[in-house]
Amino acid sequence: MPRYSIGFHNTKEMLDFVNLANRFEGEIDLKSGVQVVDGKSLMGVLAIAERDRMEMTIYGEDSQALLGEMKNIADVKEIRF
């Protein structure tokens, strides 16, 4: 699964992200340090989003379409190894 680095500038971006994520049938994990939360959970996103960047993993068939929409909401970059 491809992984991405994601960052939010404000709470509205987080809310827009969660609303978009909930329209997606697949799963989204956000990781910050050792904490991993469901990207569809506003409480989870708010709990770990105080850090600059998080790691995002998207599981699902239409992940590329979702990723394209997310780039309009938040700062998303692919993590390359």
Side-chain angles (χ1 to χ4, degrees):
M1 288 278 117
R3 293 185 298 180
Y4 303 90
S5 172
I6 186 167
F8 301 104
H9 298 104
N10 56 54
T11 306
K12 182 178 180 336
E13 287 182 359
M14 292 178 224
L15 179 59
D16 291 345
F17 171 87
V18 170
N19 286 334
L20 176 60
N22 278 296
R23 295 194 330 245
F24 176 62
E25 289 190 30
E27 299 296 321
I28 301 168
D29 287 338
L30 293 177
K31 179 181 177 185
S32 181
V34 296
Q35 293 181 306
V36 178
V37 299
D38 181 353
K40 295 182 177 187
S41 165
L42 182 58
M43 293 302 290
V45 174
L46 289 170
I48 68 168
E50 75 274 356
R51 299 190 177 105
D52 286 340
R53 311 277 315 161
M54 292 170 282
E55 183 180 304
M56 175 176 68
T57 307
I58 304 171
Y59 307 91
E61 293 180 16
D62 55 346
S63 62
Q64 289 304 313
L66 174 70
L67 184 61
E69 289 187 56
M70 282 186 179
K71 288 182 177 180
N72 295 324
I73 294 172
D75 181 22
V76 178
K77 297 176 180 146
E78 186 168 0
I79 298 173
R80 299 187 187 265
F81 295 95

